[in-house]
Structures are given as structure tokens and as C-alpha cells.
Amino acid sequence: MHILILGANGFIGSHLSEAILAKKDWHITAMDMYDDKLSACLSHPRYGFQCGDITVQTAWVEQQIQQADVILPLVAIATPATYVQDPLRVFELDFEANLKIIRHCVTHQKRIIFPSTSEVYGMCTDKEFDEETSNLVTGPIAKERWIYSTSKQLLDRLIYAFSGHRGLRYTLFRPFNWYGPRLDNIANPKPGGSRVLTQFLGNILRGEDIQLVNSGSQKRCFTFIDDGIDALLRIIENKNGCAENKIYNIGNPQENVSIRTLAELLITLVKNHYPDFSKQATQTHLLSIDAKTYYGEGYQDVELRVPSIRRAEQDLGWHPSVDLQTGLQKMVCAYSSHFTCLSTTE
Ligand code: UGA
């Protein structure tokens, strides 16, 4: 099998690349503007890497789509602060650039595995979100946070329509707060500059207070990257067509914790396992901040976001296996090589 990964240097792309090379005999062609997360892959004989921008090297991208069996377009902005601050850039990259890739997959009749998102469910009040029955609920237009959710939702709808009317073969997967090594840059001190886990870890290591948006009572189901990648490998493999034209929530419903609890877990972890940083962790206090002050007017939060994973369990034989405590330890351990550079840049 020949797989094309666009955005291979990202969090998901880099872990997927490594897992495929380690566990499968598949060939990968990959593109990204950077390659710093791909050091374990670049010299591998089954890995062909092209440094470039999918919005610029369009002829190369189309040619590679023609040659591949499966296409994973993973290029996207996925940081909520950017949805509010630069919604047009989110639309142009996440929607417009990816629509071109989807159209090429239709033209050349190639199977696409596309990253939808847990964000498509928005403020849905279901206790568990179901891929086929839950409503997708977003806020008013002035709440620009929803540009990401609605861009992804429309792409999901287009892929579904292309499948029904033009024979596109697809699988959509919806990650629920995947986390792990290489998530975001913990050295970025800007509030909202990264997703919550890397944001909090950076705060703790710098001895800064953690800002809990709306007191941190909102909950997320945190899913360790290895579990997410395991699901993706099963989707790509598509044994007996099990993932053909399906949508899957990929999340860990057991690990449904509040953002406040997450902050407390991280502080305790750093205090107990990284004595060089226990002073900073002790200095870190939890402060409550209102969403408007932290993100701006265009933000609205999601209070509860629990996936039903029944369909992934049944079709793919997949189940998440890494609990939050273990996953956080693995993540912090992987980031610990950056700790010294953080403390010397203070
Ligand atoms: C994320 C992002 O939109 C995407 O990465 C992704 O598609 C999706 O969810 C997912 O991974 O499932 P969200 O969970 O809201 O959305 O993003 P985070 O930045 O990780 O924030 C989680 C929660 O922590 C939010 O309620 C946010 O307000 C809160 N937060 C964040 C704080 O309380 N303090 C901070 O400093 C940062």
C-alpha cells in the first residue's frame, strides 16, 4: 500500500509516520513545510519526504494523489485562539486548501481518510456524541470560534455528498482531544498560543500561574496519541472494507475530566517527578479568567464533549487503552528534554 500524508510534520502526521514505518510494510510519501518532528523517519527507505507547501506545490500534490492508494490530508490550524484571531486564515487553509485535495481524490477516484473533529458537535447537549444521530450545534456568526467547526462540518458534508454522487471512497475520523509528545511547542509563552495541555505544562515549568477559562469546570475526554494512531492504522488497513464510507469518533470516554482537574494533575506530576522544577510547580496557582478576557469576544466554549465510540469498537475492533495518568506521564517525560532550555531562557 502507498500512502500520501500531507502535513506529515504535525502532531498526528509525525506519530502516524513513525507507527506505519515501525508496524506495517506500507510506503509513505509525505509533504510538510518543516521536518523537525520527522527525524526518526526521514532516512527510512519506505519514506519519501518533500519539503513544501500544499497551497504552492499544487502540481506535485496532484501527481502524488494519482500515484497513492490512500490520501491523508492532515494540514490544518487546530488552535482555538487562532479561530478567533484569524478566522480567514483558518478558512483558507482548513477549508479551501483541503477542498482542492478532496476534489483531486474525486477526480482520480482515490480513497481519502479525512480528519474531521470533535468540534463539529459544538454545543450539542447529548450525553454522548454519536456520529450518525447527534446534532451539530454552533453559535451565532459573531462567535468566530465556530469557523473551524463549521469549515470542518461542511467538508464532512461535501465528502459525504461526493461519496453518494461521485463515488468517492472515504473514512472520516474525529479526534477527541488527542494529546502526547510533540503536541505543541511548550516554549510558546503566549496565552492561547497552544492547546491546553502544552499551555499548562509551559505555565508550570516557567512558574507562571495557570489561567482557567471560566473557572475550568468545562470537561474534555483526553485521548493519548498512541490510541488515536492505533485507530488510524485500523482505518487505513480497512480490513474487509470495515471502515468504508464511515465516520468514527476516536476518543477516550473514560477520561472525561475538567480543565481544573487537568491542571491539578499536571502540577502534581511535575512536583513529584521533576524535582528541578518542583519550585516552579509550587509557585503555580490556578486563577480563574473569563473567556472574553482570555480569547476575546468571538469565543464560546464547549462544556461537555464525550464521544460514543461504539461504532469504532464494533467495526475496527478498537478500544483506547492508555489512562490519563499514564498518558500524562509519558507526555511530560517526552517533553522533559526541553525543560532545561526553558529554564535557561527565563
Ligand atoms: C480543541 C481544538 O479545537 C482542536 O485542537 C481539536 O479539533 C479539538 O479540540 C480536539 O482536540 O478534540 P478545545 O478542546 O476547546 O478544542 O481546545 P484547547 O485549547 O485544548 O482547550 C481546552 C479547554 O481548556 C477550553 O475550554 C479552554 O477554554 C481551556 N483553557 C485553555 C484554559 O482554561 N486555559 C488555557 O490557558 C487554555
Side-chain angles (χ1 to χ4, degrees):
M1 184 145 52
H2 182 175
I3 295 156
L4 176 64
I5 305 179
L6 302 171
N9 192 56
F11 170 53
I12 297 178
S14 66
H15 282 277
L16 179 63
S17 295
E18 278 184 21
I20 290 176
L21 295 178
K23 297 179 179 168
K24 305 288 176 186
D25 60 1
W26 307 335
H27 289 256
I28 302 173
T29 298
M31 175 175 262
D32 204 293
M33 284 157 51
Y34 309 99
D35 64 6
D36 54 294
K37 294 179 178 171
L38 294 171
S39 49
C41 306
L42 292 173
S43 59
H44 197 286
R46 282 187 283 115
Y47 203 73
F49 180 76
Q50 173 80 16
C51 187
D53 181 338
I54 61 156
T55 64
V56 177
Q57 285 174 267
T58 50
W60 183 89
V61 170
E62 182 169 9
Q63 193 186 30
Q64 297 308 316
I65 290 173
Q66 281 176 264
Q67 288 168 14
D69 299 305
V70 183
I71 291 90
L72 283 117
L74 303 179
V75 175
I77 294 165
T79 318
T82 316
Y83 313 159
V84 179
Q85 287 156 12
D86 202 347
L88 293 178
R89 196 157 72 88
V90 174
F91 176 74
E92 285 159 8
L93 188 67
D94 294 19
F95 185 87
E96 289 189 310
N98 280 291
L99 179 55
K100 291 189 179 120
I101 309 293
I102 294 165
R103 285 191 186 281
H104 288 320
C105 291
V106 175
T107 305
H108 301 294
Q109 290 290 296
K110 296 294 177 171
R111 177 169 180 236
I112 187 167
I113 299 176
F114 194 78
S116 177
T117 169
S118 64
E119 290 251 328
V120 294
Y121 297 104
M123 299 174 291
C124 176
T125 51
D126 291 356
K127 284 203 176 65
E128 275 191 348
F129 298 161
D130 181 274
E131 298 92 331
E132 294 180 18
T133 60
S134 284
N135 288 325
L136 311 181
V137 184
T138 55
I141 300 301
K143 297 295 177 191
E144 290 178 292
R145 184 244 165 85
W146 301 113
I147 192 98
Y148 174 75
S149 167
T150 50
S151 293
K152 287 279 192 181
Q153 183 191 147
L154 186 52
L155 289 174
D156 289 4
R157 292 189 187 280
L158 284 167
I159 287 171
Y160 185 85
F162 277 129
S163 175
H165 300 271
R166 306 266 175 83
L168 178 66
R169 296 174 57 212
Y170 75 92
T171 307
L172 292 172
F173 66 99
R174 296 185 171 153
F176 279 65
N177 290 83
W178 291 11
Y179 71 97
R182 306 198 288 267
L183 176 62
D184 293 309
N185 180 5
I186 51 166
N188 181 357
K190 208 170 140 215
S194 66
R195 280 162 284 193
V196 66
L197 256 160
T198 26
Q199 187 79 43
F200 286 178
L201 187 54
N203 290 147
I204 296 166
L205 298 174
R206 287 187 294 270
E208 297 167 357
D209 289 334
I210 281 180
Q211 305 193 55
L212 293 175
V213 173
N214 295 341
S215 309
S217 60
Q218 65 278 39
K219 290 182 162 182
R220 296 290 187 274
C221 289
F222 290 95
T223 310
F224 192 61
I225 184 71
D226 290 2
D227 280 331
I229 296 299
D230 178 28
L232 269 183
L233 292 179
R234 290 165 193 257
I235 289 171
I236 297 170
E237 190 159 34
N238 196 20
K239 213 170 183 178
N240 303 319
C242 62
E244 207 62 38
N245 302 343
K246 300 270 182 60
I247 306 175
Y248 295 116
N249 292 333
I250 306 296
N252 192 336
Q254 302 303 317
E255 299 297 351
N256 182 22
V257 300
S258 73
I259 298 303
R260 177 178 287 274
T261 302
L262 179 78
E264 289 165 351
L265 284 172
L266 268 180
I267 291 173
T268 308
L269 201 160
V270 174
K271 266 189 203 161
N272 292 348
H273 294 272
Y274 299 90
D276 291 352
F277 288 85
S278 64
K279 186 164 154 259
Q280 280 92 326
T282 309
Q283 278 167 8
T284 298
H285 300 290
L286 303 182
L287 302 183
S288 189
I289 182 167
D290 65 282
K292 201 163 90 180
T293 312
Y294 191 86
Y295 286 109
E297 282 286 355
Y299 186 77
Q300 246 178 337
D301 214 322
V302 172
E303 290 306 312
L304 195 63
R305 181 197 266 172
V306 182
S308 158
I309 54 169
R310 186 173 52 87
R311 294 175 200 281
E313 287 177 327
Q314 279 173 4
D315 294 355
L316 309 171
W318 171 83
H319 191 79
S321 64
V322 184
D323 63 79
L324 184 60
Q325 196 65 43
T326 309
L328 287 179
Q329 277 173 15
K330 287 186 179 190
M331 176 172 169
V332 176
C333 176
Y335 270 103
S336 63
S337 58
H338 303 279
F339 287 8
T340 348
C341 89
L342 263 181
S343 62
T344 51
T345 54
E346 273 180 325

